[in-house]
């Protein structure tokens, strides 16, 4: 049975406010420390590079090739910029950690798997921060209204005044949310952008629970006396606090899949004209072909230059796996929370995860051949 919109949005809020912050804190704080941040600096650096390249390719696809409208371009950029950076790479590393080509000296399979998982979580730390700031902003972008100036100003003024009126319980309404409404104009829906925010309001709008959890994880993970209270066999809060947080974090993937499944219960359907076969083919080409090949070229250049970390085959494989992944499932959670384009994002995820069965298999074979001694 399909979830109703209220239940789906409630799950999305629960995901963002509880489950995902729990996963980020428990996994990142446990894996990170100051020495690893210095030693593994290419991981967060390449996180920025992959996001920048994906967003750039998405902009080229949307603006120059598909000739999309503002708002649609930002959606395309987000779909191309942010890949599944945690669950899928962790599964790939776990399944391939027994291969000799990814080992250093006489490492056991468990040691290789642990090393690969640590690389992924350090990479995820930076990507998560950018995803929930820049990516969230892309998906919430409001194009300028095309209404006549006088009519637009009057509508915006009316909405702002309405937002300032006290609610029935005597409390002041949320101005920021009340101004962001859809109106009818000649049969077409138009969106009135929010009132201009101050710098402090813009900062507050950018911050969210996953970002708070990431910053807290960095603080706890890099200060050893505090970290020893939470992590380790003899840690005071390991069983009681961290155990409960890890249990909540385990709900991230099934909750995200439940939301995705709710959007796809009748198959990949969307009422938007811009989610066409050409659009799906373009996003799939960028994410599943162009990005992996670009990543392979850059990683190979770094190996030839003997940069720090690139002598480790697992280090290189993680970077390549991150470049080759399909669009992040968390993007549908962002869309669902915002109440916009969740159906469109579900279509993108549906097709990209089907196509990735073939592309990831092909890429893995190619990556392992290149990384073989």
């Amino acid at each position: 049975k399909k979830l109703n919109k209220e239940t789906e949005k409630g799950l999305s809020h629960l995901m963002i406010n509880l489950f995902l912050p729990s996963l980020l804190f428990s996994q990142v704080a446990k894996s990170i420390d100051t020495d690893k941040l210095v030693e593994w600096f290419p991981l967060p650096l390449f996180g920025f590079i992959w996001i920048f390249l994906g967003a750039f390719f998405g902009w080229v696809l949307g603006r120059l090739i598909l000739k999309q409208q503002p708002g649609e371009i930002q959606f395309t950029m987000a779909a191309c910029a942010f890949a599944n950076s945690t669950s899928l790479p962790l599964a790939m590393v776990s399944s391939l950690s027994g291969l000799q080509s990814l080992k250093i000296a006489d490492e056991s399979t468990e040691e290789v798997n642990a090393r690969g998982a640590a690389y992924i979580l350090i990479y995820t730390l930076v990507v998560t921060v950018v995803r929930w700031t820049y990516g969230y902003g892309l998906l919430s972008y409001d194009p300028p209204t095309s209404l006549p100036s006088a009519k637009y100003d009057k509508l915006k003024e009316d909405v702002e005044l309405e937002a300032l009126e006290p609610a029935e319980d005597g409390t002041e309404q949320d101005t920021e949310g009340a101004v962001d409404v859809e109106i009818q104009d000649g049969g077409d829906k138009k969106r009135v952008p929010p009132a201009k925010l101050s710098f402090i309001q813009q900062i507050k709008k950018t911050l969210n629970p996953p970002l708070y959890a990431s910053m807290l994880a960095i603080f706890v993970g890099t200060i050893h006396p505090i970290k020893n209270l939470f992590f380790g066999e003899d840690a005071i809060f390991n069983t009681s606090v961290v155990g409960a947080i890890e249990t909540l974090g385990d709900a991230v993937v099934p909750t995200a899949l439940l939301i995705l499944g709710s959007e796809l219960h009748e198959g990949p359907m969307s009422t938007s004209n811009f989610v066409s076969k050409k659009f799906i083919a373009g996003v799939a080409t960028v994410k599943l072909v162009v990005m992996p090949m670009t990543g392979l070229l850059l990683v190979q250049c770094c190996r030839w230059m003997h940069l720090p970390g690139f002598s480790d085959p697992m280090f290189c494989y993680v970077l390549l796996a991150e470049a080759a992944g399909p669009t992040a499932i968390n993007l549908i959670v962002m869309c669902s929370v915002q109440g916009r384009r969740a159906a469109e994002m579900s279509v993108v995820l549906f097709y990209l995860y089907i196509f990735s069965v073939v592309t990831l298999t092909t890429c893995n074979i190619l990556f392992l051949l290149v990384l073989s001694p």
Side-chain angles (χ1 to χ4, degrees):
K1 183 179 178 180
K2 180 185 182 296
L3 300 176
N4 58 46
K5 287 298 180 182
E6 291 76 15
T7 304
E8 184 180 320
K9 194 164 186 177
L11 280 175
S12 300
H13 280 288
L14 195 62
M15 171 91 157
I16 288 179
N17 294 316
L18 183 60
F19 296 155
L20 187 58
S22 298
L23 177 68
L24 290 171
F25 177 80
S26 62
Q27 296 298 323
V28 174
K30 177 168 47 178
S31 304
I32 197 173
D33 62 46
T34 308
D35 295 335
K36 288 181 179 179
L37 280 177
V38 174
E39 181 182 356
W40 298 343
F41 78 91
L43 289 167
L45 176 63
F46 269 79
F48 283 113
I49 293 174
W50 292 165
I51 291 171
F52 170 78
L53 289 175
F56 173 73
F57 293 143
W59 180 86
V60 171
L61 174 66
R63 180 68 181 273
L64 304 181
I65 299 176
L66 299 178
K67 309 294 184 182
Q68 292 178 327
Q69 299 298 316
E72 298 173 356
I73 297 174
Q74 283 72 18
F75 179 90
T76 304
M77 290 172 64
C80 293
F82 299 100
N84 185 323
S85 60
T86 307
S87 58
L88 190 57
L90 283 173
M92 292 163 62
V93 164
S94 177
S95 63
L96 298 175
S97 56
L99 296 177
Q100 191 62 39
S101 58
L102 296 179
K103 295 181 178 180
I104 298 177
D106 296 325
E107 280 185 313
S108 66
T109 299
E110 291 73 19
E111 290 173 331
V112 177
N113 188 28
R115 185 158 48 85
Y119 292 157
I120 291 170
L121 292 172
I122 295 296
Y123 176 93
T124 300
L125 175 63
V126 171
V127 171
T128 299
V129 172
V130 180
R131 181 187 299 154
W132 287 95
T133 50
Y134 176 61
Y136 195 88
L138 286 176
L139 292 174
S140 62
Y141 175 80
D142 274 316
T145 181
S146 59
L147 292 175
S149 178
K151 187 173 181 179
Y152 166 74
D153 291 340
K154 179 65 171 62
L155 284 166
K156 187 174 178 181
E157 180 182 352
D158 291 344
V159 176
E160 289 175 350
L161 289 174
E162 181 182 348
L164 295 175
E165 293 178 0
E168 293 181 1
D169 59 0
T171 60
E172 187 175 286
Q173 297 183 25
D174 181 6
T175 305
E176 183 178 321
V179 176
D180 190 16
V181 298
E182 287 188 349
I183 59 173
Q184 291 289 138
D185 179 58
D188 297 327
K189 283 188 174 182
K190 305 292 183 182
R191 182 174 289 275
V192 178
K196 187 175 182 179
L197 304 178
S198 67
F199 177 75
I200 300 298
Q201 288 174 318
Q202 290 175 347
I203 295 297
K204 289 174 65 177
K205 189 176 180 181
T206 301
L207 297 175
N208 48 62
L211 190 56
Y212 290 135
S214 299
M215 293 187 291
L216 181 61
I218 295 174
F219 176 77
V220 171
T222 54
I223 301 178
H224 290 286
I226 299 178
K227 184 176 183 178
N228 292 336
L229 295 175
F230 290 91
F231 301 98
E233 294 182 1
D234 300 325
I236 299 175
F237 302 114
N238 185 35
T239 303
S240 57
V241 177
V242 176
I245 292 175
E246 288 178 340
T247 300
L248 291 171
D250 290 340
V252 167
V253 174
T255 303
L257 292 176
L258 187 61
I259 295 170
L260 176 61
S262 177
E263 291 291 342
L264 293 172
H265 76 292
E266 293 179 350
M269 301 174 61
S270 174
T271 57
S272 295
N273 293 328
F274 82 92
V275 182
S276 59
K277 293 180 180 179
K278 187 176 180 181
F279 170 80
I280 295 296
V283 173
T285 300
V286 168
K287 285 301 298 170
L288 304 179
V289 179
V290 176
M291 283 299 297
M293 295 303 101
T294 305
L296 182 59
L297 177 61
L298 291 178
V299 169
Q300 277 295 90
C301 289
C302 293
R303 293 182 72 201
W304 292 331
M305 296 168 65
H306 302 288
L307 295 182
F310 287 88
S311 59
D312 180 355
M314 178 57 81
F315 187 94
C316 297
Y317 176 77
V318 166
L319 289 177
L320 294 172
E322 296 288 358
T327 302
I329 294 178
N330 280 338
L331 295 189
I332 197 173
V333 179
M334 297 183 191
C335 293
S336 182
V337 167
Q338 296 174 13
R340 64 175 76 183
R341 293 193 169 133
E344 290 85 344
M345 185 59 72
S346 68
V347 174
V348 173
L349 295 175
F350 178 84
Y351 283 111
L352 260 65
Y353 277 81
I354 289 178
F355 297 156
S356 67
V357 173
V358 176
T359 60
L360 282 179
T361 301
T362 305
C363 286
N364 272 321
I365 294 173
L366 180 59
F367 295 161
L368 293 173
L369 286 174
V370 171
L371 295 176
S372 297

